[in-house]
Amino acid sequence: MRVLNLVVILLVSLIFVSCEEKGDQTTNSGEQDLDCSPVGEALIFHSQLHLDGTWNKVMNPLSWNVWRLSPDGSEASPVTENSNGQTARFPRVSSSGKYIIYYSNINLDGKVESPMGVANLWVATRDGKKKWPITKNTVSTLGTFIGYITPDDKNVVFQSNLNLSGKWDDIANTGANIWVIDREGKNPPRAVTQSSVAGVNSYVNAISSDGRSILVRSNLNLSGKFEDLPNLSYNIWSIGIDGSNLNSLTKNTKKLLDSSGGVYFPNGSRVAFISKTALTGIWDSTANPVWTIWTIALDGSDLKLVAGSAKMGFYFSAISSDSSTIYGASPRSFDGISADLPSANIWAIKVDGSGMVPLTFNTKAKLNSYSPRLSPSGKELIYISMNDLSGVWDGQSSASFNIWRMNIDGSELVPLTQNSGGQIDANMDMPVEWAPSVKCK
């Protein structure tokens, strides 16, 4: 079903924080002293919107940029300024709030007038005045798209098909591994997983709050040996950031039994994820046809089904700070008995599977809502939707996904962006992060 097709892209995000900094306009310069500026909350997202910030106006040639939006939607400003067909997408904000990490195919010199480069990871201050690449490939077969800054701000964890030599522009590896590099990109990267076997891929899902462990989605053989043949399904693994303590949390080996989107509970007690594991919870049983939400203990024990059935798919994007409620999206009918709806709605679900409550109420096609994120206070949600911009249910589709805000009980629904043209952000992979206010010392 289309509502679940891009679940991996939608679930790789963690909820980070953000702050602004002062600086000059130079690029590739992570070495300057950065003076933090006190700032209020902001929403960080990517868009094809024109750099002048006019709704329904696209860049020509089409370009993607990282944007900053006030929580009331009154002010939008670009962090990157691509204008010549370049891309800057999938931004994530560091825990300290000082940095935004994103991927871009802008030339490594940072100039929009230079020939386009390949996908590398870049770091920027929140105001965009300083930007620098931390991966430095120029070969088209080497692309790096997803990165996470560690909670201490010192390093970046990313996934890449970089050669295990760690040298930029070396021959591409046959699969993706997990890597760590310093935030300034001054030192060579270090491989956390080290498979060179064709078809073995490992992808970052989350970093623990203490920065010591990484949740990984991988088809690594359950033997845990990097030289063994790939598993037939993707499992959730945990591994130390230093490469130690590799452990598979899920243990399926047969086809169609993938698991994805691993996220640590805020209290650190469990991991939530989505899977096509059989509803019985028995590994390698017949695959469920749709994604369902599960939780599991950190050692891989005590597997519990939270939401979903053989006909009702669910995925999630956020967990409340008290680890009691999961927020996600599903085309589930409101009575839980009737056939799935033609559009996905936002739901709040208790982690024990009880108290399943819809927060949006569209029943017609092309009105999908996805990817809820919690505010720093935990009292509001932002999400993306094609809902009628008037806020009525089952109205006219906006044709583009817009950012919406509401209270966690579904009240006070407000669109924060106002795009209605199909060329602007008319896709499902538009992650949004709610960055909290920052007080500087």
Side-chain angles (χ1 to χ4, degrees):
M1 180 171 291
R2 182 178 182 272
V3 67
L4 299 174
N5 282 346
L6 295 182
V7 66
V8 174
I9 295 177
L10 290 169
L11 292 175
V12 292
S13 303
L14 292 172
I15 304 173
F16 290 113
V17 296
S18 185
C19 84
E20 279 191 19
E21 301 174 25
K22 297 177 181 178
D24 57 31
Q25 293 284 344
T26 58
T27 62
N28 51 347
S29 56
E31 300 180 1
Q32 297 99 327
D33 291 331
L34 303 175
D35 297 323
C36 183
S37 299
V39 292
E41 297 177 7
L43 311 182
I44 308 298
F45 65 102
H46 64 222
S47 178
Q48 301 156 301
L49 191 66
H50 194 279
L51 289 174
D52 66 13
T54 302
W55 305 128
N56 289 314
K57 183 179 178 182
V58 298
M59 290 297 298
N60 186 16
L62 195 64
S63 305
W64 286 88
N65 283 288
V66 175
W67 285 76
R68 184 176 57 248
L69 180 70
S70 58
D72 63 0
S74 63
E75 183 179 355
S77 54
V79 175
T80 62
E81 297 182 340
N82 294 322
S83 59
N84 197 29
Q86 298 94 347
T87 288
R89 298 182 71 186
F90 300 119
R92 285 162 180 81
V93 188
S94 69
S95 297
S96 71
K98 292 183 179 180
Y99 308 102
I100 300 171
I101 187 168
Y102 57 96
Y103 96 81
S104 181
N105 62 358
I106 195 170
N107 192 287
L108 289 174
D109 64 13
K111 298 177 180 179
V112 296
E113 63 270 20
S114 296
M116 200 175 301
V118 301
N120 280 290
L121 288 177
W122 286 68
V123 173
T125 54
R126 190 160 118 188
D127 57 12
K129 290 184 177 180
K130 295 176 181 176
K131 311 179 190 74
W132 59 94
I134 59 169
T135 65
K136 301 178 178 67
N137 290 308
T138 62
V139 177
S140 60
T141 55
L142 294 166
T144 306
F145 299 91
I146 303 294
Y148 301 82
I149 298 177
T150 55
D152 62 6
D153 260 4
K154 293 182 179 180
N155 296 296
V156 170
V157 179
F158 65 98
Q159 61 208 36
S160 178
N161 64 340
L162 190 66
N163 189 285
L164 287 176
S165 68
K167 296 178 180 179
W168 309 125
D169 290 341
D170 204 346
I171 298 172
N173 196 44
T174 54
N177 281 290
I178 307 298
W179 295 79
V180 175
I181 192 171
D182 63 287
R183 191 205 68 236
E184 294 180 348
K186 294 192 298 184
N187 299 304
R190 171 178 57 82
V192 178
T193 63
Q194 300 184 45
S195 176
S196 59
V197 177
V200 176
N201 295 291
S202 297
Y203 304 106
V204 184
N205 274 182
I207 303 175
S208 62
S209 59
D210 62 8
R212 296 179 180 178
S213 298
I214 306 167
L215 286 180
V216 176
R217 172 182 176 262
S218 180
N219 64 346
L220 183 69
N221 192 290
L222 285 183
S223 69
K225 296 178 180 179
F226 294 122
E227 64 271 20
D228 283 355
L229 293 175
N231 197 42
L232 295 180
S233 57
Y234 279 83
N235 284 289
I236 303 297
W237 294 71
S238 63
I239 189 171
I241 198 168
D242 61 358
S244 63
N245 301 318
L246 178 66
N247 181 41
S248 61
L249 302 187
T250 64
K251 302 181 187 301
N252 288 310
T253 64
K254 296 181 179 180
K255 290 182 179 180
L256 307 177
L257 288 165
D258 292 336
S259 297
S260 185
V263 175
Y264 290 102
F265 275 33
N267 64 14
S269 63
R270 296 179 68 81
V271 168
F273 63 100
I274 61 168
S275 183
K276 291 189 175 179
T277 293
L279 297 177
T280 61
I282 299 174
W283 307 126
D284 283 339
S285 295
T286 302
N288 201 53
V290 293
W291 295 99
T292 51
I293 301 176
W294 298 77
T295 68
I296 197 169
L298 299 181
D299 63 359
S301 64
D302 195 26
L303 178 67
K304 294 181 178 179
L305 177 65
V306 176
S309 68
K311 296 182 179 180
M312 179 185 66
F314 260 98
Y315 62 87
F316 72 99
S317 301
I319 304 175
S320 63
S321 59
D322 64 1
S323 300
S324 68
T325 306
I326 290 175
Y327 296 92
S330 176
R332 178 188 190 269
S333 63
F334 300 130
D335 62 14
I337 300 173
S338 305
D340 279 359
L341 299 170
S343 288
N345 284 288
I346 305 298
W347 291 76
I349 312 154
K350 294 298 182 182
V351 294
D352 62 3
S354 66
M356 196 177 296
V357 178
L359 302 179
T360 63
F361 297 90
N362 286 308
T363 64
K364 296 181 179 180
K366 299 181 180 180
L367 294 168
N368 290 301
S369 297
Y370 301 115
S371 195
R373 299 283 197 272
L374 281 161
S375 67
S377 69
K379 297 180 179 180
E380 295 177 286
L381 288 168
I382 52 172
Y383 63 99
I384 59 172
S385 180
M386 299 181 79
N387 198 77
D388 190 306
L389 287 171
S390 70
V392 301
W393 306 124
D394 288 337
Q396 180 70 36
S397 172
S398 62
S400 285
F401 279 98
N402 283 286
I403 301 171
W404 290 72
R405 189 190 75 229
M406 64 180 171
N407 293 331
I408 57 173
D409 63 0
S411 63
E412 299 188 26
L413 186 71
V414 179
L416 302 182
T417 61
Q418 302 281 336
N419 292 312
S420 58
Q423 284 187 306
I424 301 182
D425 305 329
N427 53 66
M428 295 168 61
D429 60 349
M430 193 178 85
V432 185
E433 303 226 336
W434 194 324
S437 59
V438 174
K439 295 180 180 179
C440 301
K441 295 181 180 180

